[in-house]
Amino acid sequence: MYSNGYNVYKNNSVNYASKEQLLLMLTEGAVKFCKMARQAIADNDIKKANDALVRTQDIFSELMVSLDTTAGEWAVQLFRVYDFIKGKLIQANMSKSVEVIDEILPLVEDINETWKEAYKRSKK
């Protein structure tokens, strides 16, 4: 009963979110799943690690396709950063390496913080 209500709430929050809010949801999800993958690798839970890394890769794929690279050089550079992270996520998944995740997690967190700040400034 409660999980159905939660799913309706979750779907509505996505369906009625602005583009900016969706971007924040994606980047927050990327941080969450990247941390989950790190912990799963540390716990030697290969399936959970794979699932979390694939979800994080999917988020970065979505960020890449939604980015308008004609908006300027900054967008092209951001695309390259997303592509770099996605490549490292694939590497981490293939090797099940905590070290690779430790290398990119700060970057994923920085991207999330940057978009949070941009969202705050756009509301002023």
Side-chain angles (χ1 to χ4, degrees):
M1 176 181 162
Y2 291 109
S3 67
N4 188 29
Y6 173 75
N7 288 337
V8 169
Y9 169 78
K10 190 174 175 182
N11 286 338
N12 284 340
S13 67
V14 170
N15 290 336
Y16 295 107
S18 68
K19 290 178 185 178
E20 295 86 2
Q21 290 167 324
L22 288 173
L23 180 65
L24 286 177
M25 287 178 195
L26 285 171
T27 59
E28 287 168 358
V31 171
K32 176 180 122 181
F33 291 119
C34 200
K35 287 180 177 180
M36 285 174 57
R38 187 192 187 290
Q39 187 60 51
I41 291 170
D43 294 342
N44 204 28
D45 188 340
I46 303 306
K47 179 171 179 2
K48 187 174 181 179
N50 177 68
D51 292 347
L53 285 165
V54 168
R55 289 184 86 168
T56 312
Q57 290 169 40
D58 289 346
I59 289 170
F60 277 95
S61 293
E62 185 63 32
L63 290 170
M64 290 168 73
V65 292
S66 66
L67 192 60
D68 179 8
T69 54
T70 64
E73 184 60 28
W74 68 270
V76 173
Q77 293 299 327
L78 190 54
F79 184 91
R80 290 181 184 148
V81 170
Y82 291 165
D83 189 46
F84 171 79
I85 292 170
K86 189 175 171 191
K88 287 292 188 176
L89 289 165
I90 292 167
Q91 179 185 353
N93 203 2
M94 290 173 51
S95 65
K96 298 299 185 265
S97 169
V98 169
E99 292 78 16
V100 175
I101 294 176
D102 286 345
E103 180 183 341
I104 60 164
L105 183 56
L107 187 53
V108 174
E109 291 172 327
D110 285 348
I111 289 168
N112 183 42
E113 289 302 316
T114 299
W115 283 117
K116 278 184 187 175
E117 185 61 31
Y119 179 72
K120 287 178 192 173
R121 289 183 184 198
S122 74
K123 294 297 174 190
K124 290 184 180 181

